[in-house]
Amino acid sequence: MPDPPDFSKSTCPLPLRDYPSIVMGHGGGGRLSAELVEHLFLPAFRNDALANLGDASIVASGGERLAISTDSFVVRPLIFPGGSIGELSVYGTVNDLAVSGAVPVYLSVGMILEEGLPMAILAQIVDDMAKAARVAGVQIVAGDTKVVEKGHGDGCYVNTTGIGFVPAGVNVGPGLARAGDIILINGTVGDHGMAIMSVREGLEFDTTIHSDTAALNALIADVLRAGGPSVHSMRDPTRGGVAASLNEIASSSQVGMVVDEASLPVRSEVRSACELLGMDPIHVANEGKVLIFVAPDRAEQVLEAMRRHPLGADSTMIGNAVAQHAGMVVARTTIGATRIITPQIGEQLPRIC
Amino acid sequence: MPDPPDFSKSTCPLPLRDYPSIVMGHGGGGRLSAELVEHLFLPAFRNDALANLGDASIVASGGERLAISTDSFVVRPLIFPGGSIGELSVYGTVNDLAVSGAVPVYLSVGMILEEGLPMAILAQIVDDMAKAARVAGVQIVAGDTKVVEKGHGDGCYVNTTGIGFVPAGVNVGPGLARAGDIILINGTVGDHGMAIMSVREGLEFDTTIHSDTAALNALIADVLRAGGPSVHSMRDPTRGGVAASLNEIASSSQVGMVVDEASLPVRSEVRSACELLGMDPIHVANEGKVLIFVAPDRAEQVLEAMRRHPLGADSTMIGNAVAQHAGMVVARTTIGATRIITPQIGEQLPRIC
């Protein structure tokens, strides 16, 4: 009997009913993930806050706007160059709140541990979480631990759920980018994905590739101070990389985008690793990067503010939003041609976060 | 070579350093879970909200008090008589907020799916969550899905994190029970644990044992209306059962407790199953029960209010808090003797929720 088809590597966008069971791609943050959300979760849970599909949901609470974001982390290996699942799980949720315009304040932590996980590894992960929470200025106020039998987990899965408050006057969202907006990024792309991949594949380069995992809330506060209401949209390009994030904003905001491929900062060792593995850095995950959509009137001030921040020294403009080809992202290649940047259907790298 | 000792079945309270790795008991909600919290999580994450160790953390937000609670669900099997991981994950977090005095409002859902999970099962779980959210009157406002490879999960793990608001004037907590308080419960104990156990062990009785999984927030609102400030403490006796919850409150409030064993309501089929398996219903998990500590002046009104609610028809008094033997729970047996009710060290039934 032939093997069943491997849908996770398929490039054909099949509707949900053609998947009798879950495939890896359903967790990849690409088109399969989106189909699960669109055809299963949204119809079941339908409400306005969820339908917005931002990195965090914004809900009213008395006179305030509360931002809520949840993320489960299943990264493999648990500890990697530049970080661990501990930092990643704190920074990931902090960043999802921050790009929604919220000031992150509280985190909950839910851990699913596998029987046999060495206590020393758990202790390091917990220590990394505590340090990361201090760096990001958030409090871990609720926790839960469950244990599953050996062979029913993978050491440690972490869920973090974050709560923040959106200051008065801040209005950013995936649907608020406008034609004419300048697209900025705070540094090199692909570092996190290639750090994980290098470890898994046993690749060796002259320089070890380190994950860029970092808390972006302080940098984003600077961006909002410098840009005010001219900052329209922000997104941290994690799963699916810059390509996925740009496509999501292009689709939600119904604008086109033109990206200058040569302007996308990529470390030479990341570029080498990508070439070796046949990957494109624009599709590779980041954990300390943010895309900013800002009107031209404040783009210069925002870029300067970003460059003054330690996490934004390499900040640069990578393109702009346009009125043409709404919902579509186009790259100008180094030789002057153009190509369409589509999101991945599944994921090129499972369990990146 | 002899097998390594099975600490999960040990009855000797060893300190954390004697466990080089995680054992099943660390997730059981008993003494081993408490040691992990005390020796690992609390020192790392130390803050006042967490140190309170309630079912939910209460934090200030503007003029309001926000309650935050997180819980991961790893129940096996995913679907069982009376419910599924879907309802359980919604009601579990709703109840943790409610027993903290909060009105549950928002939920986030983080799912970790195993490659190969049949889409039809996922659809049923999601449907159960949506229905449960409607029953409980909460909105699911944020979600996340990750997928792990076949053999690295167990179909579906769910984290829910809930946010609620504590109304002005409500002050309940695990440390606020007082000597003299009457202890009430809203019905039979052990139903959930024995429903799960019967399925796993293939036990057959004349009557199928159904889980009691239910949203307790409406019943608890009635309790608070009837009891006002005389309601001091509430807890839903899930993992570790009534024994664990009473011990936690006895310890936090530094009161003793005397429970009349004959007054603890137990279904006959649950009692039979417990006898067959050598378990004590007082240690078995519930998912739709709440223990209420109320001063004598309002106990009668609270009990009447509970009995008027569909989830409280079998409500009854099971004992009271006393000034003697602070931190210790004592049961009066049917033959008039007394015995000390201690929490389990690990868990008698892994992955019950």
Side-chain angles (χ1 to χ4, degrees):
Chain A
M1 205 174 72
D3 282 338
D6 182 355
F7 288 120
S8 68
K9 297 207 176 67
S10 166
T11 53
C12 167
L14 297 167
L16 201 60
R17 64 178 177 278
D18 291 327
Y19 289 83
S21 61
I22 290 293
V23 298
M24 291 305 292
H26 282 123
R31 265 188 273 169
L32 285 181
S33 291
E35 283 181 8
L36 212 54
V37 170
E38 189 185 337
H39 297 296
L40 191 61
F41 295 116
L42 280 190
F45 300 151
R46 189 166 293 289
N47 61 64
D48 294 344
L50 199 62
N52 191 38
L53 291 179
D55 285 292
S57 283
I58 314 286
V59 295
S61 155
E64 296 185 296
R65 285 180 298 164
L66 210 63
I68 305 169
S69 183
T70 191
D71 217 341
S72 294
F73 294 82
V74 298
V75 65
R76 192 167 52 84
L78 295 172
I79 294 163
F80 46 80
S84 77
I85 194 172
E87 288 141 330
L88 204 61
S89 62
V90 170
Y91 293 152
T93 292
V94 161
N95 294 347
D96 282 345
L97 291 171
V99 296
S100 305
V103 176
V105 181
Y106 301 116
L107 279 193
S108 69
V109 174
M111 296 191 127
I112 298 174
L113 307 178
E114 185 187 14
E115 184 185 19
L117 174 72
M119 199 62 84
I121 291 182
L122 178 60
Q124 178 177 342
I125 291 168
V126 169
D127 196 48
D128 287 347
M129 297 190 87
K131 278 186 197 145
R134 280 194 293 274
V135 167
V138 295
Q139 278 200 311
I140 294 172
V141 294
D144 174 63
T145 307
K146 292 285 167 23
V147 179
V148 294
E149 300 88 349
K150 208 170 178 64
H152 290 273
D154 209 348
C156 175
Y157 299 140
V158 182
N159 174 282
T160 53
T161 302
I163 296 170
F165 298 92
V166 185
V170 173
N171 281 297
V172 297
L176 299 178
R178 299 182 204 166
D181 279 355
I182 305 293
I183 310 172
L184 305 173
I185 194 165
N186 64 314
T188 55
V189 304
D191 299 23
H192 177 71
M194 283 302 114
I196 299 291
M197 200 60 171
S198 301
V199 176
R200 283 205 216 145
E201 301 285 313
L203 301 182
E204 289 201 16
F205 303 96
D206 291 346
T207 318
T208 303
I209 302 174
H210 287 86
S211 167
D212 60 342
T213 181
L216 294 168
N217 50 332
L219 171 77
I220 287 171
D222 289 352
V223 163
L224 290 172
R225 252 191 303 273
S230 296
V231 178
H232 297 149
S233 203
M234 302 188 280
R235 196 124 202 173
D236 52 331
T238 56
R239 281 187 291 183
V242 167
S245 292
L246 292 181
N247 271 280
E248 282 157 16
I249 292 178
S251 169
S252 293
S253 299
Q254 278 303 298
V255 295
M257 290 181 198
V258 179
V259 174
D260 178 14
E261 207 164 54
S263 70
L264 204 66
V266 184
R267 282 182 209 284
S268 61
E269 58 269 30
V270 170
R271 194 177 296 283
S272 304
C274 279
E275 281 169 5
L276 210 63
L277 298 166
M279 291 177 173
D280 184 336
I282 205 167
H283 288 293
V284 178
N286 313 276
E287 289 290 344
K289 294 301 172 318
V290 56
L291 294 161
I292 310 275
F293 287 73
V294 54
D297 65 328
R298 292 290 194 100
E300 197 57 49
Q301 289 94 316
V302 168
L303 187 57
E304 279 168 19
M306 289 167 76
R307 285 181 175 157
R308 278 194 298 270
H309 192 280
L311 293 173
D314 299 327
S315 295
T316 188
M317 169 182 168
I318 62 164
N320 47 291
V322 296
Q324 297 80 29
H325 53 81
M328 189 181 286
V329 180
V330 167
R332 265 201 216 96
T333 67
T334 43
I335 56 163
T338 58
R339 62 175 182 121
I340 298 171
I341 304 288
T342 51
Q344 306 267 310
I345 180 166
E347 60 191 334
Q348 59 184 4
L349 187 51
R351 300 184 52 187
I352 195 74
C353 62
Chain B
M1 206 173 73
D3 283 337
D6 181 357
F7 287 120
S8 69
K9 298 207 176 67
S10 167
T11 52
C12 166
L14 297 166
L16 200 60
R17 64 177 177 278
D18 290 327
Y19 290 83
S21 61
I22 290 292
V23 299
M24 291 304 292
H26 283 121
R31 266 188 273 170
L32 284 179
S33 291
E35 284 181 5
L36 211 55
V37 170
E38 189 185 338
H39 296 298
L40 191 61
F41 295 116
L42 280 188
F45 300 151
R46 188 165 292 289
N47 61 65
D48 293 343
L50 200 61
N52 191 39
L53 290 178
D55 286 290
S57 283
I58 314 286
V59 296
S61 155
E64 296 184 295
R65 286 179 298 165
L66 211 62
I68 305 168
S69 182
T70 191
D71 217 340
S72 295
F73 294 83
V74 299
V75 65
R76 191 165 55 81
L78 295 174
I79 294 163
F80 46 81
S84 76
I85 194 173
E87 287 141 333
L88 203 62
S89 63
V90 170
Y91 293 151
T93 292
V94 161
N95 293 348
D96 281 345
L97 291 172
V99 296
S100 304
V103 175
V105 181
Y106 301 116
L107 280 193
S108 69
V109 173
M111 296 192 127
I112 298 175
L113 307 179
E114 185 186 13
E115 184 186 19
L117 174 71
M119 198 62 84
I121 291 182
L122 178 60
Q124 176 176 343
I125 291 167
V126 169
D127 196 47
D128 287 346
M129 297 189 86
K131 278 187 198 145
R134 279 194 294 274
V135 167
V138 296
Q139 279 199 311
I140 294 173
V141 294
D144 175 61
T145 308
K146 293 285 165 25
V147 180
V148 295
E149 301 87 349
K150 209 170 176 61
H152 290 274
D154 209 348
C156 176
Y157 298 141
V158 180
N159 174 282
T160 53
T161 303
I163 297 170
F165 298 92
V166 185
V170 174
N171 281 298
V172 296
L176 300 179
R178 297 181 206 166
D181 280 355
I182 305 293
I183 310 173
L184 305 174
I185 194 164
N186 63 315
T188 55
V189 304
D191 299 22
H192 177 71
M194 282 303 112
I196 299 290
M197 199 62 171
S198 300
V199 176
R200 284 206 214 143
E201 300 285 313
L203 300 184
E204 290 201 17
F205 304 95
D206 292 345
T207 318
T208 303
I209 301 174
H210 287 86
S211 167
D212 60 340
T213 181
L216 295 168
N217 49 333
L219 171 77
I220 287 171
D222 289 351
V223 164
L224 290 172
R225 252 191 303 272
S230 295
V231 178
H232 296 150
S233 201
M234 301 188 279
R235 197 124 202 173
D236 53 332
T238 56
R239 281 188 292 184
V242 167
S245 292
L246 291 181
N247 271 278
E248 282 156 18
I249 292 178
S251 169
S252 293
S253 298
Q254 277 304 295
V255 294
M257 289 180 199
V258 179
V259 174
D260 177 15
E261 209 164 55
S263 69
L264 205 67
V266 184
R267 282 182 207 284
S268 61
E269 59 268 31
V270 170
R271 193 177 297 282
S272 303
C274 278
E275 279 169 7
L276 210 63
L277 298 165
M279 291 177 170
D280 184 336
I282 206 168
H283 289 293
V284 178
N286 312 277
E287 289 291 342
K289 294 302 172 313
V290 57
L291 293 161
I292 310 277
F293 287 73
V294 54
D297 65 329
R298 293 288 195 103
E300 198 57 47
Q301 289 93 319
V302 168
L303 186 57
E304 278 167 22
M306 290 167 75
R307 286 181 175 159
R308 277 193 298 270
H309 192 280
L311 293 174
D314 298 327
S315 295
T316 189
M317 169 182 170
I318 62 165
N320 47 289
V322 296
Q324 296 79 26
H325 53 80
M328 189 182 287
V329 179
V330 167
R332 265 200 216 98
T333 67
T334 42
I335 55 162
T338 58
R339 62 176 183 124
I340 298 171
I341 303 288
T342 51
Q344 305 268 308
I345 181 166
E347 58 190 334
Q348 58 185 8
L349 187 52
R351 297 183 56 188
I352 195 75
C353 61

